[in-house]
Amino acid sequence: MRRLGVLLLVVCGSVLLAGCGGDDSRSSTADHSSSFEGGAPAPATAPGIRVQKAPNREQAPAPDTPDQATDRKEVITGTVDLTAGDPVAAAKTLVDRVDDLDGRVDQRTENPGTGDIEPHVNLVIRIPAADTDAFIDGLGELGEITQVSTDRDDVTLQWQDLDARITALRASVDRLRDLMVRAADTADLIAAEEALAVRQGELDSLTGQRRYLDDQISLSTLTVDISSTVAKTGDDGPTNFWDGIVDGWNSLFDWLKGAIVFVGQVLPWLAFLAVLGAVVGVIAGLARRLRARRVTVSPAPAAPAPAAPAPAPAASVDEPTGTDAATGNAGAPSEPGGTAGEKE
């Protein structure tokens, strides 16, 4: 009996220990699983303190509503070519319509037409973007629309980027101002002021960019060109005999008029060339005269000296070589004892 009692005590003790160990293992398993569900291991906490787990990924904020997702930012630009009987009057009516829509005219070029130049008006207008299509359709009442071209540029991402950067810079500026208020010494105050100046400059620049972008989005830009007639695409010649005569006469008159104008343009050049030719002729004549004068003044070249005569042979006593003084003829050789006459 004693052994049986001891055995029962051992069995009961092992059962109690097993139950305690199971509870501990289950609690540890639950804590481990909860750490994985929270995305990070749960920190050790003291008994009695309740820890709130981090939200699961399924509890992330819901995406934007369809209305916010489809809120596109567009910049609308376009050109319209219009023909009207009186372009100036049509332009005045168009400007009045722009004023009624609370728009504005950024540029206006007006030519009432003089001589061969036809009247022509060019306008650059800004109107609310929502009224762009209706405004273009209404231009048909002012004249004939010959060409329409519009372009819609999506700038949603650019606008969102500017808005996010502006929001972040505003928060940074507010924090820096708070630091300046709570600055403990001068060094901290100076550092906060320098950082605030940089942030404020960036904020002002981005704010200006978004303001300009908002203006481009809210008001569309249209270039309206108003002329009196449609530009001719080809040259239509005469279709009958009389039209040919009239066209030939007009072309002859135009040619004569052009020839007269050409002669009037050429005459000053001809006069200038004549004066220039006369000056060149006078200079050439003077140059010839100076050259001729130099030739006459310069001495003639000296003649070469004659060669010295060869020496005569020595005369013999018996055969004189002298000439007869009376006759001028060469004398005959004289014989001793007298002349030829005396010898006879």
Side-chain angles (χ1 to χ4, degrees):
M1 291 297 292
R2 186 177 295 174
R3 292 180 179 178
L4 182 59
V6 173
L7 181 59
L8 289 175
L9 290 175
V10 171
V11 172
C12 292
S14 61
V15 170
L16 292 175
L17 290 175
C20 294
D23 294 339
D24 294 339
S25 62
R26 283 194 298 271
S27 62
S28 62
T29 305
D31 294 340
H32 186 68
S33 60
S34 64
S35 65
F36 279 101
E37 291 176 358
T45 58
I49 297 178
R50 186 176 179 179
V51 179
Q52 184 178 2
K53 296 186 295 183
N56 297 330
R57 295 184 182 275
E58 290 78 4
Q59 299 177 0
D64 295 337
T65 61
D67 295 338
Q68 294 177 351
T70 57
D71 187 13
R72 298 180 58 187
K73 306 293 184 181
E74 294 180 338
V75 176
I76 303 175
T77 57
T79 58
V80 180
D81 294 339
L82 184 69
T83 58
D86 189 354
V88 177
K92 185 178 182 303
T93 305
L94 188 147
V95 171
D96 293 338
R97 292 187 178 183
V98 172
D99 293 338
D100 294 339
L101 294 175
D102 294 332
R104 67 175 187 266
V105 178
D106 286 351
Q107 182 179 349
R108 180 172 181 175
T109 304
E110 184 175 318
N111 187 355
T114 55
D116 297 337
I117 301 176
E118 297 179 352
H120 180 268
V121 180
N122 184 271
L123 299 170
V124 178
I125 61 175
R126 304 292 306 281
I127 58 175
D131 300 328
T132 302
D133 295 335
F135 181 83
I136 293 176
D137 294 338
L139 292 178
E141 301 174 359
L142 303 179
E144 181 182 359
I145 299 176
T146 58
Q147 184 178 2
V148 177
S149 175
T150 57
D151 183 21
R152 295 176 178 268
D153 187 11
D154 190 357
V155 294
T156 305
L157 294 178
Q158 182 180 356
W159 190 91
Q160 290 177 352
D161 179 67
L162 284 175
D163 186 68
R165 294 169 64 184
I166 289 173
T167 303
L169 282 175
R170 283 177 177 172
S172 177
V173 168
D174 293 339
R175 287 194 300 269
L176 288 173
R177 287 175 177 172
D178 185 57
L179 288 175
M180 290 176 60
V181 173
R182 294 181 300 149
D185 54 3
T186 306
D188 295 341
L189 180 62
I190 293 175
E193 287 180 350
E194 292 177 355
L196 178 61
V198 174
R199 296 292 190 277
Q200 189 65 45
E202 295 177 358
L203 179 60
D204 293 340
S205 177
L206 294 179
T207 303
Q209 294 179 25
R210 193 178 68 173
R211 188 182 302 113
Y212 173 78
L213 188 60
D214 288 337
D215 179 73
Q216 296 294 314
I217 294 171
S218 60
L219 297 177
S220 61
T221 304
L222 294 179
T223 302
V224 183
D225 189 86
I226 308 176
S227 59
S228 60
T229 57
V230 182
K232 296 182 179 180
T233 57
D235 187 10
D236 297 334
T239 58
N240 52 46
F241 179 76
W242 178 250
D243 292 341
I245 293 177
V246 173
D247 185 71
W249 174 257
N250 291 333
S251 61
L252 176 62
F253 180 76
D254 293 339
W255 183 84
L256 290 175
K257 183 170 64 174
I260 293 173
V261 173
F262 177 76
V263 171
Q265 292 175 345
V266 169
L267 280 178
W269 287 96
L270 293 177
F272 172 74
L273 292 176
V275 173
L276 184 62
V279 172
V280 173
V282 171
I283 294 175
L286 292 175
R288 285 196 298 270
R289 291 179 183 178
L290 290 176
R291 192 180 301 109
R293 185 175 299 176
R294 289 177 182 176
V295 170
T296 56
V297 171
S298 60
S316 160
V317 176
D318 294 334
E319 296 179 359
T321 58
T323 57
D324 191 330
T327 61
N329 296 325
S334 59
E335 294 181 357
T339 62
E342 291 177 352
K343 186 177 181 179
E344 291 178 357

